[in-house]
Amino acid sequence: MQLDTGWQSLLYTLSPGPSTELTKFHLNAIHDVASTPSNLQLWNYSSTNNCPLCGRQQCNLKHILTCCPVSLKQGRYNWRHDQVLRVIVQPIAEKLKEVNSSIPKTEEKMEWRKFVSGKGIYQKPEVQLTGKPHLLEEGNDWKMVFDEDERTRQFPQHIVNTALRPDVVIYSNTLRKVILIELTCGNE
């Protein structure tokens, strides 16, 4: 997520947007001034810069967000990944519900627009215009499977037999189409 950190945006535009705490964390992380043990020692607020979880020296923001072995073992990174995944899956589920309750669309014939110039009306070309429907609008039997730690899901076995688990699988049996979504939450 790219955040406009200009003063105009922060003071006026973001008021209905991200919370104050999220904006504060984002700005501190961008400029590496978050209250990490390394920064606290640098600013003489702490005598040590060790990670409170694993004891590693030089506990900076990168260590906290991506590579602390205790956080990894406790599933903290997976929790963050699953939280982001839930935010993404919710609007997709709503769209699938809307599409599945409607009649599938096919290619539609479209009319050419008539343009008027100083010399008169242009003639319509002989070529027929067609508008393709959106991929999801082609069918009404879409299903979604998403994988998170609390409830692991297998890839639909009737599509392909695999042990791989993408984050989101959207598929239609009648159209024989599959959409895969893989989410990566790195060092934001």
Side-chain angles (χ1 to χ4, degrees):
M1 174 177 94
Q2 188 68 27
L3 182 65
D4 181 6
T5 57
W7 286 113
Q8 181 73 22
S9 174
L10 290 175
L11 292 176
Y12 302 107
T13 312
L14 288 179
S15 55
S19 67
T20 306
E21 293 81 17
L22 181 61
T23 304
K24 181 179 175 184
F25 173 77
H26 193 89
L27 288 172
N28 286 336
I30 287 172
H31 300 292
D32 194 21
V33 292
S35 298
T36 62
S38 289
N39 283 343
L40 291 174
Q41 184 187 37
L42 180 69
W43 303 329
N44 293 323
Y45 286 112
S46 175
S47 59
T48 180
N49 65 356
N50 295 348
C51 175
L53 296 175
C54 71
R56 179 183 181 266
Q57 287 188 338
Q58 297 296 331
C59 180
N60 56 18
L61 194 60
K62 182 178 181 186
H63 173 78
I64 292 169
L65 290 179
T66 61
C67 58
C68 177
V70 174
S71 292
L72 182 62
K73 190 179 284 186
Q74 291 177 349
R76 293 180 183 202
Y77 300 134
N78 291 1
W79 178 85
R80 184 176 65 188
H81 175 272
D82 289 348
Q83 295 301 316
V84 173
L85 185 62
R86 286 185 191 112
V87 169
I88 293 171
V89 162
Q90 182 183 4
I92 295 173
E94 290 172 8
K95 180 66 176 177
L96 291 180
K97 185 176 179 182
E98 174 190 322
V99 168
N100 285 341
S101 65
S102 64
I103 299 170
K105 293 182 180 177
T106 57
E107 287 189 0
E108 299 174 355
K109 291 183 181 178
M110 299 170 58
E111 286 292 319
W112 286 92
R113 290 190 178 164
K114 296 179 183 176
F115 293 94
V116 179
S117 71
K119 298 178 184 175
I121 298 177
Y122 289 112
Q123 296 295 321
K124 290 194 288 186
E126 298 297 321
V127 180
Q128 192 64 261
L129 272 181
T130 58
K132 279 193 90 168
H134 185 275
L135 173 64
L136 294 177
E137 294 173 342
E138 293 177 7
N140 61 358
D141 68 328
W142 292 98
K143 293 180 177 58
M144 177 173 61
V145 177
F146 63 99
D147 185 45
E148 54 186 351
D149 283 347
E150 292 176 6
R151 48 181 207 164
T152 57
R153 302 282 192 232
Q154 293 295 323
F155 195 93
Q157 297 298 306
H158 67 283
I159 296 173
V160 67
N161 190 5
T162 180
L164 299 176
R165 296 180 0 218
D167 289 321
V168 181
V169 179
I170 304 168
Y171 63 95
S172 168
N173 290 323
T174 57
L175 295 175
R176 301 176 58 102
K177 292 187 179 182
V178 178
I179 302 169
L180 301 176
I181 300 174
E182 188 64 42
L183 172 67
T184 302
C185 294
N187 185 9
E188 287 99 20

